[in-house]
Amino acid sequence: MLVRCIECVARFRRDAIDFAELPPRCPHCTGILKSDTVSFGEPIPPDVLEGCFEEAERADCMIVAGTSATVYPAAQFPVSVHQRGGDLVEVNPYESEITQLCRHTLQGPAGEILPLLVERVRRRA
Ligand SMILES: [Zn+2]
């Protein structure tokens, strides 16, 4: 598990950080460290966002799981794949903004559907 500096975006192994003083501070810039996850309302870290744009531009198929697909910039990724002729597979309990663009829709919670999908793919491999 990693922690990330909210100032310089440096990442560190959680077990390499001293939590004796709170909040934990970045060894590089003294910025506050938090878990390397994206909380609701928090922007996607710039390096991760750049990687997402690159992968979305190369993808010919994308699984879109457990999202309303309405929050930009992430909502643009499946639209971009679809516009270039790629296929979208949606895993969601309800219709979303991109359901009409999807080649396949697997209706249900991602936590239940994705393990079943992985199992089916493994059996075919
Ligand atoms: Zn830092």
Side-chain angles (χ1 to χ4, degrees), residues 25-49:
R25 297 289 179 165
C26 174
H28 295 317
C29 76
T30 70
I32 294 174
L33 297 174
K34 67 173 285 293
S35 63
D36 190 20
T37 57
V38 177
S39 303
F40 188 77
E42 179 186 14
I44 299 171
D47 58 331
V48 173
L49 189 58

Side-chain angles (χ1 to χ4, degrees), residues 51-97:
C52 290
F53 275 111
E54 290 172 8
E55 294 298 326
E57 286 302 312
R58 297 183 340 180
D60 56 10
C61 180
M62 179 178 282
I63 297 172
V64 184
T67 177
S68 61
T70 57
V71 180
Y72 282 81
Q76 180 59 39
F77 301 141
V79 173
S80 171
V81 171
H82 177 73
Q83 286 175 336
R84 290 182 301 95
D87 292 321
L88 301 174
V89 178
E90 181 178 42
V91 179
N92 222 347
Y94 311 104
E95 284 194 9
S96 74
E97 294 292 320

